[in-house]
Structures are given as C-alpha cells and as structure tokens.
Amino acid sequence: MFGTKFSLDGVEINLPLCGDYNYQNALGVVACAKFCGISVEKIKSGIENVSAVGGRMEALEIVLKSGKNAVLIKDCYNANLDSMTKSVEFTAGISDSGKKIFVLADMKELGAKSEESHRIIGKKLTELNADYAFFVGPEMKYAFSEADGKIKVFWYENNSSESFSAIAEKINEIAEDKDVILIKGSHSMELEKLIPLLGSCRERK
C-alpha cells in the first residue's frame, strides 16, 4: 500500500508508489536502465526519489474526525474505466487492513460507452464484495443500480457540498482503525473537497 521493496543485483530498492501496476512499471524502467548500462546505484536513486503526480494513487494516513486512524488512497486526477478498475482492484486486494470503503465519482468524457463503463464498475465492486460504496454523480447511478441490494451502497446525484458533507458524516460513523478509503473520480468531480471533511491527512513517514 505504501510502496514495494525489491532487490536488484543484491541491492534493496524501495519504490515509494503504491500498487502492483506501479511496481510492474518500475521493473520496465529498471530493464531499460540496465540495457543502457546505468549502474544499480543510480537506478536505486532514481526509483527511490520518484513521486506520484499529485492526486494519483496517493496513499495517506488520515485521522478521521471520529478519532479513528485509517488509510486514504487519493486518486482524483482523472478517471476512465481502466484506471478505475485498477484502483478498485488494488484497494480490494489490500491485506492486513479493515473494511474497504469506496467513494467513486463519475468518469467523464466516455461518450456512448459511459453507461456500460459505469455499470461495469458497479458489477466489479459487487464481485469484490466491497464493504461500502458511495457513488457520486449522474453517471454513477448506473454503477449504483448494479450494486444496490448486493453490497452496502449510497448514491448522490451531484458533487455538491451537501453531498460531500453527508458522505463524510457517514464514513466517520462507520469507519474504524485500519480501514482503507479510496476516493477516485474524474478531476472535474472535485472529490478532493471531501478530504478535509473526513479528517486530517499526513504522509506516512
């Protein structure tokens, strides 16, 4: 969740990005670097000093307003079916944690595939047996319709301050220590506005 440690020619390297797919990307970079004759020490330095683009799969510790200590995965930079699916699968697969709570907003600019794509996300959360899902936006009603009655779900028609306040209040009511909260949606849905309503974040030391 907070990165991956791996060994390269006996040298331990700490990739500070969460997610198996980021690890796979890093291995591709390592292969190219070795092919170009770059030393292991320089590869280690490069990998360990990489940072996520702001708002993309940032794993943060959060002290909720309820006083509980949870993990927040912030991915509000952009969203399409592929990135949404990967984020959801990664969060659901995290071990040694509490409940998995998903706050998912509309994926924009999908055109004719929008309804189908949002329905796929609703089905995916059902398959993964998500603990709670909060859907935000008019397109996410399709995800809600697929998941409603199968897992614990809530739908909010828009990303208004009232919607965010209601989501934050409910999450503070249900979340416990070690729970994981994923917030993911297109940038225009402004999910980052939800974070201060949930609690106070800090980067993991």
Side-chain angles (χ1 to χ4, degrees), residues 89-106:
E89 289 177 338
F90 168 72
T91 302
I94 294 171
S95 59
D96 192 29
S97 66
K99 297 187 298 297
K100 310 297 171 49
I101 300 169
F102 299 83
V103 183
L104 307 179
D106 283 357

Side-chain angles (χ1 to χ4, degrees), residues 30-47:
V30 168
C32 289
K34 291 196 73 175
F35 180 81
C36 292
I38 297 174
S39 69
V40 173
E41 290 72 21
K42 287 186 177 180
I43 293 173
K44 173 181 172 69
S45 176
I47 294 290

Side-chain angles (χ1 to χ4, degrees), residues 81 84-85 88 102-107 110 113-127 130 132-157 184:
L81 181 56
M84 182 76 78
T85 300
V88 164
F102 299 83
V103 183
L104 307 179
D106 283 357
M107 300 176 283
L110 298 184
K113 294 185 177 180
S114 183
E115 178 178 341
E116 177 188 3
S117 297
H118 285 84
R119 288 189 182 279
I120 289 171
I121 293 302
K123 291 177 183 177
K124 175 62 68 174
L125 285 178
T126 299
E127 293 168 3
Y132 288 90
F134 297 81
F135 296 116
V136 182
E139 295 301 305
M140 274 296 172
K141 69 183 176 183
Y142 300 117
F144 174 79
S145 67
E146 294 292 338
D148 189 27
K150 300 168 186 172
I151 57 175
K152 295 174 183 176
V153 291
F154 305 84
W155 176 60
Y156 303 83
E157 187 174 3
K184 170 75 174 173

